[in-house]
């Protein structure tokens, strides 16, 4: 059982997204999985360049993007994975740029333009998205974030297998709110949440990791 995680935050250590991914991988390891964490911001790669090489009738369909860059080896390793956990900060209401680029390159070559929905990925596996964000939970629907998260959930469900979504809201953005612009935030409340609520998010991430490594694949609700 191999669980792969992907950090879509440029902050690679100790910050919100990578901390929850670490928790999730600890959960997966506790359930006996082999794990790997890929730092997307360590790699130089682009999103889909619309070359349609993956859609050419003459090409053997292996579901791997033909563009050659730092992502190529990662995309090849994903074929052997039994679960994928993708973590991203919310940037302007969506996934970070590196996460979007990764998702395009990961999903599109497996996407078959067939009348019935089909994926070229050879097996069904568990997938998860972990989102961290400044926005408080009560604002998500109003800002339409639930719809955006739903689109990615469906996309992963369609191509790979049931996708769980874990949300960590109202996160700590700065270690010291007195040193950066932060007028609109209640800094004391941010520190309190980071001390009291964020560890609970970590526990939820750990449990998610355990489920990802369980080998039980629920049907995607897409
Ligand atoms: C460029 C940028 C855009 C952001 N846009 C949003 C946003 O639209 N909504 C939101 O809730 N938070 C937004 N944030 C805040 C981050 O999502 C939040 O601080 C996140 O937890 C950071 O994750 P990290 O600590 O792993 O880097 C933004 C942050 C940056 C740097």
């Amino acid at each position: 059982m191999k669980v792969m995680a992907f950090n879509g935050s440029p902050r690679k250590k100790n910050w919100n997204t990578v901390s929850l991914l670490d928790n999730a991988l600890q959960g997966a390891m506790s359930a006996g999985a082999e794990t790997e964490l890929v730092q997307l911001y360590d790699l130089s790669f682009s999103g889909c360049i619309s070359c349609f090489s993956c859609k050419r009738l003459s090409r053997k369909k292996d579901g791997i993007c033909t563009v050659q860059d730092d992502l190529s080896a990662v995309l090849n390793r994903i074929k052997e994975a039994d679960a994928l956990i993708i973590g991203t900060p919310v940037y302007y209401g969506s996934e970070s740029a590196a996460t979007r680029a990764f998702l395009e390159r990961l999903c599109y070559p497996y996407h078959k333009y067939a009348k019935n929905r089909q994926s070229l990925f050879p097996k069904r596996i568990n997938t998860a998205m972990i989102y961290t964000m400044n926005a408080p939970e009560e604002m998500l629907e109003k800002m339409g974030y639930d719809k955006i998260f739903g689109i990615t959930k469906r996309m992963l469900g369609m191509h790979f297998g049931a996708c769980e979504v874990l949300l960590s809201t109202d996160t700590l953005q700065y270690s010291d709110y007195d040193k950066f612009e932060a007028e609109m935030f209640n800094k004391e409340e941010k520190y309190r949440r980071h001390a009291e609520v964020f560890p609970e998010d970590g526990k939820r991430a750990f449990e998610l990791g355990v489920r990802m490594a369980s080998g039980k694949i629920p049907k995607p609700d897409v």
Side-chain angles (χ1 to χ4, degrees), residues 53-66 109:
S53 175
C54 61
K55 301 289 172 275
R56 272 201 185 275
L57 293 173
S58 57
R59 181 165 175 244
K60 184 179 162 279
K61 298 288 187 291
D62 61 359
I64 303 284
C65 178
T66 53

Side-chain angles (χ1 to χ4, degrees), residues 43-95:
L43 307 176
S44 174
F45 66 98
S46 73
C48 173
I49 58 166
S50 207
C51 66
F52 297 120
S53 175
C54 61
K55 301 289 172 275
R56 272 201 185 275
L57 293 173
S58 57
R59 181 165 175 244
K60 184 179 162 279
K61 298 288 187 291
D62 61 359
I64 303 284
C65 178
T66 53
V67 174
Q68 292 299 309
D69 57 20
D70 287 358
L71 200 60
S72 309
V74 175
L75 294 174
N76 270 302
R77 287 206 297 286
I78 286 174
K79 253 197 155 145
E80 311 307 322
D82 301 294
L84 307 177
I85 307 174
I86 301 167
T88 180
V90 171
Y91 283 178
Y92 289 100
S94 187
E95 293 88 9

Side-chain angles (χ1 to χ4, degrees), residues 9 11 15-17 89-93 132-135 145 171 173:
S9 170
R11 301 202 284 186
W15 279 97
N16 299 289
T17 312
V90 171
Y91 283 178
Y92 289 100
T132 75
M133 69 210 83
N134 248 330
Y145 286 9
T171 54
Q173 182 158 327

